[in-house]
């Protein structure tokens, strides 16, 4: 199998089941034009986040890592009109692109973009009693994933869902001796989930237009 085949399969199913609209297409195009890295979720992955939020009946969502707001739009569209999505972005230029994309999608009344290091924003959310969040999407700097997981647990409740993206790292996650801090961050993130008495989880490998990777899906239990 090849990347060409993976992409063609994604295109086939996306054409039938996902159908990006103008706001989503513009979000991806504007992010590219602004020079943002092309690391946003694929359309089918964005739709999966949307469906997970709807299945959970989410009213409050926390996203760690906004980039250009593509995944933010998918998640915000799953919320009721009185819902709230807080998204954390460390780069002010990225946040500005995201804000424009989210406003163009007509979702700025639902989305609160916090600019600054997530490690600084997360304690503020706790102090504000912004939670509990029904779904947390972790898609930021992988070395900090273990810390983000600990904060996600503080800001959720039984029944909440935690999603961690890009956890397979082209298979590098299996290398315990890796000197890549992103790999080590993902490995520790996974180990903490496995050890935690309040979490039950699984990880799925994925192939598609974004290459070979995967995501972890965890449920907060009693």
């Amino acid at each position: 199998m090849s990347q060409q085949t993976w992409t063609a399969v994604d295109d086939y199913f996306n054409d039938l089941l996902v159908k990006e609209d103008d706001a989503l297409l513009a979000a991806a195009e504007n992010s590219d034009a602004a020079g943002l890295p092309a690391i946003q979720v694929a359309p089918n992955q964005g739709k999966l986040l949307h469906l997970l939020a709807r299945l959970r009946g989410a009213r409050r969502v926390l996203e760690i890592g906004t980039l250009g707001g593509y995944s933010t739009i998918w998640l915000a569209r799953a919320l009721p009109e009185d819902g709230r999505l807080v998204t954390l972005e460390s780069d002010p230029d990225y946040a500005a692109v995201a804000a424009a994309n989210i406003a163009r999608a007509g979702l700025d009344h639902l989305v609160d973009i916090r600019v600054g290091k997530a490690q600084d924003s997360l304690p503020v959310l706790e102090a504000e009693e912004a939670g509990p969040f029904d779904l947390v999407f972790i898609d930021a700097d992988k070395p900090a994933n273990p810390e983000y997981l600990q904060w996600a647990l503080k800001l959720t409740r039984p029944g909440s869902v935690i999603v961690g993206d890009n956890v397979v790292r082209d298979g590098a996650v299996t290398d315990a001796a890796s000197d890549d801090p992103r790999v080590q961050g993902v490995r520790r993130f996974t180990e903490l989930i496995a050890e935690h008495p309040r979490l039950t989880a699984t990880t799925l490998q994925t192939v598609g237009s974004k290459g070979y990777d995967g995501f972890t899906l965890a449920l907060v239990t009693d």
Side-chain angles (χ1 to χ4, degrees):
M1 304 299 285
S2 67
Q3 180 62 59
Q4 182 178 7
T5 300
W6 297 343
T7 300
V9 171
D10 263 7
D11 289 345
Y12 168 75
F13 285 111
N14 286 343
D15 286 346
L16 289 171
L17 303 175
V18 178
K19 294 184 173 66
E20 293 174 286
D21 62 11
D22 289 345
L24 287 164
L25 291 169
E29 292 167 1
N30 294 338
S31 296
D32 183 61
L36 275 61
I39 56 174
Q40 72 271 7
V41 299
N44 52 352
Q45 295 165 345
K47 182 70 175 286
L48 175 62
L49 291 171
H50 174 86
L51 291 174
L52 286 172
R54 289 184 65 181
L55 286 166
R56 174 59 187 84
R59 303 183 70 85
R60 293 187 183 186
V61 171
L62 172 62
E63 179 182 51
I64 304 176
T66 315
L67 195 63
Y70 183 85
S71 56
T72 318
I73 292 171
W74 275 114
L75 286 164
R77 284 179 169 175
L79 296 176
E81 276 301 305
D82 60 347
R84 185 184 186 209
L85 188 156
V86 179
T87 184
L88 311 181
E89 177 53 55
S90 62
D91 189 308
D93 293 331
Y94 293 4
V97 173
N101 286 333
I102 292 163
R104 185 178 296 104
L107 297 165
D108 45 326
H109 64 294
L110 295 174
V111 178
D112 177 7
I113 303 175
R114 305 286 180 102
V115 183
K117 291 181 63 176
Q119 291 91 334
D120 296 330
S121 298
L122 288 163
V124 174
L125 291 178
E126 182 183 38
E128 292 175 353
E129 298 183 348
F133 292 97
D134 303 304
L135 186 147
V136 178
F137 180 43
I138 302 173
D139 190 17
D141 52 315
K142 306 312 172 197
N145 265 15
E147 187 175 356
Y148 297 152
L149 176 65
Q150 299 294 354
W151 277 108
L153 285 163
K154 292 180 182 180
L155 294 166
T156 52
R157 59 185 169 188
S160 295
V161 174
I162 300 171
V163 183
D165 200 18
N166 306 126
V167 297
V168 172
R169 317 301 306 172
D170 284 319
V173 70
T174 62
D175 183 5
S178 173
D179 59 2
D180 186 335
R182 296 168 298 181
V183 170
Q184 291 301 331
V186 167
R187 286 179 62 89
R188 184 57 184 150
F189 170 77
T190 309
E191 291 161 1
L192 288 170
I193 290 174
E195 297 165 358
H196 204 285
R198 293 179 55 224
L199 291 174
T200 182
T202 191
T203 294
L204 296 179
Q205 299 179 75
T206 60
V207 294
S209 60
K210 293 293 182 178
Y212 172 40
D213 214 319
F215 64 92
T216 294
L217 179 66
L219 176 68
V220 181
T221 62
D222 292 340

